[in-house]
Amino acid sequence: MEIKSDYLSRFVSELREEFSEEDGWETEVDERVGYIRVFYSDRYCSVKMIIVLNEYSVPVLLSVTKADKDEEIIMPESCHTCSEFCIYYDSVNETCKRGYEEVSREFSEWERVLCETKNIRIERVVYEEGCYLDIPHCHYYRAYKIEYRGPITIDTIKAFNELFDDIIALVEK
């Protein structure tokens, strides 16, 4: 999509330079809807940054979500090779004994707001991602999300990305 705003065009160019495709980042811009999505995923973690634009295509909200892939919430269909080594394996019926009520309860227990001020909101969320094996189902991970309302610059985005884990550690103590 062609970017109409000169300011936004420069901003996205800097963003793509800082979070480059060579390093595994993907950037998607939808000026019509008013957002920029920057995404990274590997076998260890996923990071999703959403930058919301105002009516003048100026960034006004930054949302950063980070999921540790070791923190998967096991769903019956997300286990590709159910076996006797899994704690949820029912050897009598040769199926997963983990039910959706248990999963739903785990989601509810995890999700909550940890801290909220006028401009910042920090929360635990459940992060959903399509299967890495291209099997038609999703995987769910315990994750954290930080939202910031205010002036957004490339330096703001870099700082949030670099300080994310430290901020979460402070709030979770």
Side-chain angles (χ1 to χ4, degrees), residues 68-169:
D68 181 342
K69 300 267 179 97
D70 287 337
E71 292 293 325
E72 184 169 6
I73 298 171
I74 302 297
M75 300 282 285
E77 69 273 3
S78 67
C79 202
H80 301 127
T81 55
C82 198
S83 70
E84 63 273 7
F85 302 110
C86 178
I87 60 171
Y88 302 116
Y89 184 69
D90 178 353
S91 58
V92 175
N93 297 315
E94 296 183 349
T95 60
C96 183
K97 61 183 173 185
R98 185 153 164 89
Y100 288 102
E101 284 181 23
E102 185 179 353
V103 171
S104 179
R105 189 171 38 256
E106 190 170 342
F107 278 23
S108 295
E109 289 171 0
W110 174 256
E111 294 179 311
R112 69 185 174 98
V113 175
L114 298 171
C115 179
E116 188 165 13
T117 67
K118 180 181 171 195
N119 295 323
I120 295 178
R121 178 183 175 100
I122 303 170
E123 60 188 310
R124 290 176 173 177
V125 295
V126 174
Y127 181 79
E128 177 182 341
E129 187 170 280
C131 181
Y132 52 89
L133 295 176
D134 287 333
I135 297 172
H137 67 260
C138 291
H139 292 259
Y140 299 88
Y141 304 94
R142 288 176 202 85
Y144 291 94
K145 179 165 95 172
I146 301 175
E147 286 186 350
Y148 167 69
R149 289 185 186 281
I152 310 293
T153 66
I154 298 302
D155 288 337
T156 308
I157 297 167
K158 286 172 26 182
F160 265 85
N161 192 49
E162 290 170 13
L163 297 172
F164 192 94
D165 293 336
D166 293 330
I167 293 168
I168 296 303

Side-chain angles (χ1 to χ4, degrees), residues 47-59:
V47 179
K48 178 174 69 174
M49 295 187 275
I50 302 291
I51 302 154
V52 177
L53 310 171
N54 68 11
E55 65 272 17
Y56 306 107
S57 296
V58 173

Side-chain angles (χ1 to χ4, degrees), residues 29-67:
V29 180
D30 192 329
E31 191 174 13
R32 185 180 46 80
V33 175
Y35 80 91
I36 302 167
R37 178 183 168 271
V38 183
F39 178 74
Y40 174 85
S41 186
D42 64 20
R43 63 187 296 193
Y44 304 106
C45 76
S46 288
V47 179
K48 178 174 69 174
M49 295 187 275
I50 302 291
I51 302 154
V52 177
L53 310 171
N54 68 11
E55 65 272 17
Y56 306 107
S57 296
V58 173
V60 293
L61 181 132
L62 171 63
S63 173
V64 181
T65 305
K66 186 174 182 182

